Amino acid sequence: MKTVLVYGSTLGNCKIGADLIAKTLGDTELHEVSRFTFGKLPEADLFIFGGSTWGSGDLQDDWDLKIESLRSANLTGKKVALFGTGDQVGYSDTFCDAVGELYDAVTAAGAEVVGTWSTDDYQFTDSKAVRNGRFVGLILDEDNQYDLTNVRIAKWCSQISKEIE
């Protein structure tokens, strides 16, 4: 499975997740969103987009600059998975909202989103990343649940691999 993973990370938590996901999946091109162009997408079986949430639900700065390019990309017929990092304790009412914004952008661009994730084992009050009772992608909390990151990534990577077969 050929995968292109694009992420934005300011303090490194999202990069940790991106690196682990790429290592787990194998055959993955890893790109920082600040250096990625959405106008001409490389060939891939799966695109993964990841970012962190800042302040009261804001996109990470690099994603904030690229979100309109993502929204206007041609993702029709493309399978896309999403992941994000956030702090469910300090920002319980906007937990991983950026992943919800990425979801809105890729669905507007015609993508088929795979890899929804259970909200079980998280404690938060609200998130734009929840649709129909599930997260729209893998959610990682390196601030409060770093000990669960490896297990969550392994399970999610197995799940999305099956979903795109």
Side-chain angles (χ1 to χ4, degrees):
M1 170 176 71
K2 170 73 172 165
T3 304
V4 172
L5 192 156
V6 181
Y7 71 94
S9 187
T10 300
L11 296 178
N13 286 345
C14 199
K15 181 175 179 2
I16 289 168
D19 288 342
L20 289 169
I21 291 167
K23 181 179 177 183
T24 302
L25 287 175
D27 196 16
T28 300
E29 284 183 24
L30 200 55
H31 300 274
E32 290 182 34
V33 69
S34 62
R35 299 181 181 140
F36 191 78
T37 303
F38 291 98
K40 186 170 186 219
L41 296 171
E43 288 297 317
D45 300 304
L46 175 67
F47 290 89
I48 300 176
F49 302 122
S52 54
T53 301
W54 284 87
S56 55
D58 298 324
L59 282 167
Q60 185 265 349
D61 288 345
D62 297 324
W63 270 114
D64 193 43
L65 295 172
K66 295 277 190 154
I67 195 69
E68 289 308 316
S69 295
L70 176 61
R71 190 179 314 279
S72 62
N74 182 6
L75 296 174
T76 303
K78 309 268 189 225
K79 295 191 190 276
V80 171
L82 305 168
F83 80 97
T85 58
D87 177 351
Q88 65 191 302
V89 175
Y91 298 94
S92 179
D93 59 339
T94 59
F95 181 52
C96 287
D97 277 359
V99 178
E101 289 198 41
L102 292 175
Y103 176 83
D104 290 341
V106 300
T107 55
E112 176 189 341
V113 177
V114 298
T116 66
W117 190 251
S118 174
T119 59
D120 294 348
D121 301 323
Y122 298 87
Q123 296 182 1
F124 63 97
T125 56
D126 196 23
S127 176
K128 291 179 184 174
V130 175
R131 310 289 165 95
N132 299 317
R134 292 179 63 81
F135 287 118
V136 294
L138 175 65
I139 300 300
L140 304 172
D141 184 344
E142 289 295 299
D143 296 316
N144 304 292
Q145 295 180 325
Y146 59 87
D147 56 321
L148 298 176
T149 295
N150 288 337
V151 171
R152 285 176 172 162
I153 286 174
K155 185 176 177 184
W156 186 70
C157 287
S158 175
Q159 174 187 327
I160 61 175
S161 294
K162 291 175 186 167
E163 288 181 31
I164 68 162
E165 289 180 342

